[in-house]
Amino acid sequence: MSRSSPKVGFVSLGCPKALVDSERILTQLRAEGYAISPSYNDADLVVVNTCGFIDSAVAESLDAIGEALAENGKVIVTGCLGAKGDVVKQAHPQVLAVTGPHALEEVMLAVHKHLPKPHDPYIDLVPAQGIKLTPAHYAYLKISEGCNHRCSFCIIPSLRGDLVSRPIGEVLTEAEHLVDSGVKELLVISQDTSAYGVDVKYRTDFWGGMPVKTRMLDLVKHLGDMGVWVRLHYVYPYPHVDEVIPLMQAGKILPYLDIPFQHASPKILKAMKRPAATEDTLARIRAWRAACPELVIRSTFIVGFPGETEEDFQMLLDFLDAAQLDRVGCFPYSPVEGAAANALANPVAEDVKQERLERLMEVQAEISAARLERRIGQEMTVLVDEITDDGTALARSYADAPEIDGVVIIENSEGLVVGEFARVRITDAGDHDLWAERI
Ligand code: SF4
């Protein structure tokens, strides 16, 4: 499997509304691991966002499609011209797909069909099953590229380079556009959200004429004023993360942290070269929960890393018991081509990895279920993701990130609208999901 990212070329024509669509498509492409290519030749396919407002714009759009076809050959057309019947297909029957404006979902489906992306649990910022884009009321906001860490099991720094933070003004503008176009939940992603701005020394940028520093606290403060859910992914337990907890307690951003701890044994964390490996993570979690009792923490772990003894693994189980994390994902260690950890001594046998994976998930299943059970009787705000054919609403509370966590099931969806918030009372809990009724 090639480890280089599939590359998409992008041509954006038309008015500011078309530009917002382009930004949303580009954001989604980046979030899913596609690279954006500046040239036709280098791209695996090209998306052309067209304008069809006046005749000259139609001609310009058709020319742009023709040029992309001549230079690259694989072209997906979106935008206003796509909405005008068969104009595009008649002029350029070879295009792979044509959609109208504001068609993020269809564009992404067409991209997935003609240029699938490989999934790697160590690399991907989004789940293997992809992002379900119906309904499009949540969006991933990628704040940086690359990573300054050198975790021994990971090849992202060699693939994507060192951390490059996007200017905060640009990120906030994109967030505003997303909110203006109906997004109700922003999911902040990067390889290390807590490192945002380190590479540019927290440079001051401008947003709406106002100076803002390129750093996590300033970013989440401003996002928290946008009136939508803001969820933080890929945060490390550094001391400065403490600063965002009061914003969670104040209801500005969701009291939810996705922190990939990966292990708890100091020896293994050191061998993994994990960021914040020397922090007293349990003390930090306790302090966060004292400051914000509603805080939900999700994490991922790797079992069977080279050199992991039964004692190291037991430390991990003890950590889970003490940390009482809400949601946990776990992978057995598997070598990634090019990763430094491949050279480490004492690999763990496959059957031992599997056995540890099962033991870990068993321990965590009880913890997660107990934490969910405490919700029974509580009133919660949920965001409705889907209404199924049998009239059941699938929603999420602040405690559930889309695609990776559980859902809140509301059997009678009468009056509920996909993409809107609702107040519910939790009536039952399972291992992953909750059941609720409308209030
Ligand atoms: S923090 Fe570690 S695992 Fe994450 S991208 Fe950076 S090097 Fe890879």
Side-chain angles (χ1 to χ4, degrees), residues 122-123 125 146-158 161 190-192 234 236 238 260 262 272-275 302:
Y122 296 124
I123 294 179
L125 292 171
C147 182
N148 282 349
H149 302 297
R150 294 293 180 264
C151 298
S152 55
F153 56 78
C154 175
I155 55 164
I156 283 180
S158 61
S190 67
Q191 304 296 347
D192 177 358
Y234 308 99
Y236 286 97
Y238 288 116
Q262 306 300 19
M272 288 177 165
K273 298 210 169 88
R274 289 297 288 163
I302 296 173

Side-chain angles (χ1 to χ4, degrees), residues 232-247:
L232 302 184
H233 288 279
Y234 308 99
V235 174
Y236 286 97
Y238 288 116
H240 73 275
V241 174
D242 297 359
E243 298 172 340
V244 303
I245 305 296
L247 295 175

Side-chain angles (χ1 to χ4, degrees), residues 50 73 227 247 257 284 300 335 349 367 377 379:
T50 58
L247 295 175
L257 279 175
R284 182 139 277 123
T300 49
I367 296 170
E379 291 183 8

Side-chain angles (χ1 to χ4, degrees), residues 111-359:
V111 172
H112 292 156
K113 185 168 165 207
H114 297 284
L115 185 61
K117 75 180 184 87
H119 177 68
D120 185 324
Y122 296 124
I123 294 179
D124 287 357
L125 292 171
V126 291
Q129 63 273 34
I131 299 164
K132 241 162 119 202
L133 293 164
T134 335
H137 52 261
Y138 58 82
Y140 293 86
L141 187 65
K142 193 166 187 179
I143 60 171
S144 59
E145 285 286 352
C147 182
N148 282 349
H149 302 297
R150 294 293 180 264
C151 298
S152 55
F153 56 78
C154 175
I155 55 164
I156 283 180
S158 61
L159 283 181
R160 305 206 177 147
D162 283 342
L163 176 77
V164 179
S165 298
R166 294 180 59 200
I168 190 165
E170 186 184 303
V171 174
L172 289 170
T173 302
E174 180 179 321
E176 263 182 332
H177 288 160
L178 290 168
V179 173
D180 288 348
S181 63
V183 162
K184 298 283 178 21
E185 178 177 7
L186 294 168
L187 301 117
V188 176
I189 56 167
S190 67
Q191 304 296 347
D192 177 358
T193 296
S194 29
Y196 180 58
V198 168
D199 54 316
V200 293
K201 302 196 172 52
Y202 308 113
R203 185 167 55 210
T204 299
D205 191 21
F206 288 88
W207 174 56
M210 183 175 56
V212 261
K213 278 193 174 295
T214 307
R215 60 180 193 136
M216 183 172 79
L217 181 63
D218 297 64
L219 175 75
V220 295
K221 258 188 198 158
H222 290 299
L223 291 176
D225 285 337
M226 291 188 184
V228 297
W229 278 4
V230 177
R231 193 183 293 282
L232 302 184
H233 288 279
Y234 308 99
V235 174
Y236 286 97
Y238 288 116
H240 73 275
V241 174
D242 297 359
E243 298 172 340
V244 303
I245 305 296
L247 295 175
M248 295 181 173
Q249 178 62 11
K252 289 281 186 188
I253 61 171
L254 295 180
Y256 178 102
L257 279 175
D258 174 8
I259 310 177
F261 291 117
Q262 306 300 19
H263 215 284
S265 150
K267 184 189 95 191
I268 298 297
L269 286 170
K270 197 166 163 226
M272 288 177 165
K273 298 210 169 88
R274 289 297 288 163
T278 54
E279 297 293 333
D280 184 347
T281 304
L282 271 181
R284 182 139 277 123
I285 292 173
R286 285 193 188 112
W288 289 342
R289 286 208 173 118
C292 179
E294 287 301 301
L295 179 66
V296 157
I297 303 176
R298 99 150 341 253
S299 190
T300 49
F301 293 90
I302 296 173
V303 291
F305 190 78
E308 183 192 66
T309 60
E310 179 58 29
E311 196 188 347
D312 294 315
F313 179 65
Q314 191 56 49
M315 264 185 210
L316 176 49
L317 295 185
D318 292 346
F319 171 82
L320 290 179
D321 192 40
Q324 294 286 301
L325 305 177
D326 297 85
R327 307 273 190 189
V328 163
C330 185
F331 300 100
Y333 171 75
S334 70
V336 175
E337 204 185 314
N342 301 348
L344 292 176
N346 302 319
V348 176
E350 286 306 318
D351 58 335
V352 177
K353 284 184 201 169
Q354 280 309 321
E355 181 239 6
R356 287 181 185 165
L357 173 72
E358 279 158 32
R359 279 163 67 198

